[in-house]
Amino acid sequence: MGEKNDAFLVLNAGSSSIKYAVYGVDLQVILNGQVDRIGLDPQYHGGASDIDVPVADNATHAEILDWLLTHIAGLSDNLNIIGAGHRVVHGGQDFSAPARVTDAVIAKLRTLAPLAPGHQPHNLAGIEAVGRRWPNIPQVACFDTAFHRTQPRIAQLFAIPRTFSDDGVLRYGFHGLSYHYISTQLPHHLDQPNGKVIVAHLGNGASMCAMQNMKSVATTMGYTALDGLVMGRRCGELDPGVIFHMLRDRGMSVAEIEDILGTKSGLLGVSDISSDMRDLLASDNPAAAEAVDLFVYQACKKIGALAASMGGVGAIVFTGGIGENSAAIRARILQGCAWLGADLDDTANTSGAARITTADSRLAAFVIPTDEEGIIAGETQRLVGG
């Protein structure tokens, strides 16, 4: 048996998908794939090996992770996994940079789970699953909130009594690993990468980030990942009075409300059909059309708000599962941004071009595939070595 090659494993456990990649010490991808449609009918995609995951349709993330790591181990028997990196959604005030995983770090991250109940437990399940399969390798946590710590204080504050802000009730923002990667790509696409840019990470979880000098200055998500845009299962922007109504007039518990707003709302709640944009676009049900209309409407509203926060915008970047793959949604959002000077190039938009607006469009628009795993791999190598 030949000598094995050292490699890093990266896990990105989201609310409805688990992406993985194995990197060599040169940070080149050796293997990658994902399980998506978690909670519906889990499907594995990896090279030519697209299969239904052999678990129950309602299998937990932990069960799917155990199957996935076994599958990865079978694919990489000539590799020596020397470290693992993980996306962790909420780092709170204590983690503004990636950290080596320790018992103390895990304990702190567990206290933040109520702020990201649809993500943080899955992120920690990934760390635990790796620990079961490879108990002796170091692991690194990379935080979605860290990129937004550059926001000015005024962009982080809620208009609530100061004692809450002092205790950490702030607008943290999420999808930071995706935004970090996109910021590194702006110089390859924009003549003025340090200018005013809005990045739209649109997927089952969706948010937007206003950037200047390739740093976050405002974002649509807040203290938790519930705020902002319409998402697959999350409500997005909501009048707090709706929660009071649910508590006082409907007699619902906090747990019931949390479940409704976090897992039964968004595209799923409005359509009563599916949380997957692909399903809704393919449906002729009026409720599906209304859910898509609301998604586009809120996206256009938030673009206007973020542009106002910067005093203008020169470019918009689409990324994430919907942002990268749905020409129809991109077109509708840019049509709603015509007042900002967006002039869509239909051919470019449908053909997979990087720039999807015309050459003389005042607002330039681009599609840039994100690579959260690449950011995690680089940070894991930096902290683990190899």
Side-chain angles (χ1 to χ4, degrees):
M1 188 171 178
E3 183 177 347
K4 293 189 175 184
N5 297 313
D6 290 345
F8 300 107
L9 171 65
V10 169
L11 282 181
N12 180 348
S15 55
S16 67
S17 66
I18 302 170
K19 298 178 182 177
Y20 78 88
V22 178
Y23 292 79
V25 293
D26 59 357
L27 296 184
Q28 297 300 304
V29 177
I30 299 171
L31 300 168
N32 62 8
Q34 68 172 324
V35 176
D36 65 7
R37 296 180 68 85
I38 295 174
L40 298 173
D41 52 333
Q43 297 174 357
Y44 171 81
H45 310 279
S49 303
D50 290 5
I51 57 174
D52 291 331
V53 178
V55 296
D57 286 351
N58 63 349
T60 65
H61 276 64
E63 292 170 321
I64 294 171
L65 280 160
D66 284 338
W67 174 86
L68 180 60
L69 294 184
T70 298
H71 185 73
I72 293 170
L75 295 173
S76 59
D77 57 2
N78 66 329
L79 299 174
N80 178 39
I81 304 296
I82 63 170
H86 301 263
R87 174 196 180 205
V88 176
V89 166
H90 214 308
Q93 294 191 93
D94 293 330
F95 298 101
S96 58
R100 285 279 292 264
V101 172
T102 64
D103 290 343
V105 166
I106 290 176
K108 181 63 180 179
L109 296 179
R110 286 196 192 287
T111 69
L112 297 171
L115 306 187
H119 292 83
Q120 199 91 342
H122 307 322
N123 306 151
L124 295 174
I127 293 172
E128 293 166 348
V130 169
R132 288 192 296 270
R133 178 157 286 277
W134 293 289
N136 298 317
I137 67 171
Q139 299 192 66
V140 173
C142 299
F143 304 100
D144 256 339
T145 48
F147 184 76
H148 299 294
R149 303 306 287 156
T150 58
Q151 289 184 64
R153 177 172 167 80
I154 203 70
Q156 298 181 49
L157 287 175
F158 295 109
I160 55 178
R162 182 171 291 272
T163 182
F164 290 96
S165 303
D166 292 343
D167 286 341
V169 182
L170 299 166
R171 183 177 296 280
Y172 288 100
F174 300 90
H175 292 131
L177 296 171
S178 177
Y179 294 130
H180 182 180
Y181 177 78
I182 296 299
S183 74
T184 69
Q185 300 305 298
L186 294 181
H188 303 304
H189 296 274
L190 277 64
D191 293 334
Q192 295 181 318
N194 290 316
K196 299 171 181 178
V197 179
I198 293 173
V199 182
H201 179 107
L202 306 179
N204 188 63
S207 69
M208 293 182 181
C209 176
M211 292 187 195
Q212 285 184 268
N213 296 315
M214 296 183 284
K215 296 184 182 301
S216 175
V217 296
T219 189
T220 56
M221 282 182 168
Y223 179 59
T224 73
L226 279 177
D227 199 9
L229 302 174
V230 175
M231 291 169 255
R233 293 171 175 267
R234 281 171 270 163
C235 59
E237 181 180 276
L238 183 73
D239 180 346
V242 174
I243 299 175
F244 304 152
H245 164 72
M246 291 176 170
L247 284 167
R248 182 178 54 238
D249 303 327
R250 299 283 185 109
M252 299 174 69
S253 69
V254 171
E256 288 173 323
I257 295 171
E258 187 173 60
D259 182 50
I260 286 175
L261 300 185
T263 70
K264 296 177 180 175
S265 296
L267 295 174
L268 175 63
V270 177
S271 71
D272 202 25
I273 294 171
S274 175
S275 61
D276 193 307
M277 181 64 77
R278 293 166 293 190
D279 296 338
L280 300 182
L281 289 172
S283 174
D284 59 2
N285 189 308
E290 188 168 62
V292 175
D293 288 346
L294 184 58
F295 181 92
V296 172
Y297 172 75
Q298 289 286 7
C300 292
K301 269 183 61 178
K302 296 302 182 184
I303 288 171
L306 292 177
S309 76
M310 296 188 289
V313 58
I316 182 169
V317 174
F318 292 95
T319 194
I322 296 171
E324 294 171 27
N325 298 304
S326 180
I329 294 298
R330 294 194 301 263
R332 291 184 58 178
I333 290 173
L334 287 177
Q335 287 161 4
C337 294
W339 66 280
L340 285 169
D343 186 6
L344 178 69
D345 183 329
D346 288 312
T347 301
N349 185 42
T350 57
S351 66
R355 177 169 177 142
I356 59 172
T357 45
T358 61
D360 57 355
S361 178
R362 193 166 75 250
L363 176 67
F366 300 86
V367 180
I368 303 177
T370 194
D371 187 7
E372 295 165 311
E373 293 78 26
I375 293 294
I376 298 168
E379 297 292 354
T380 301
Q381 185 190 55
R382 181 177 66 82
L383 290 176
V384 170

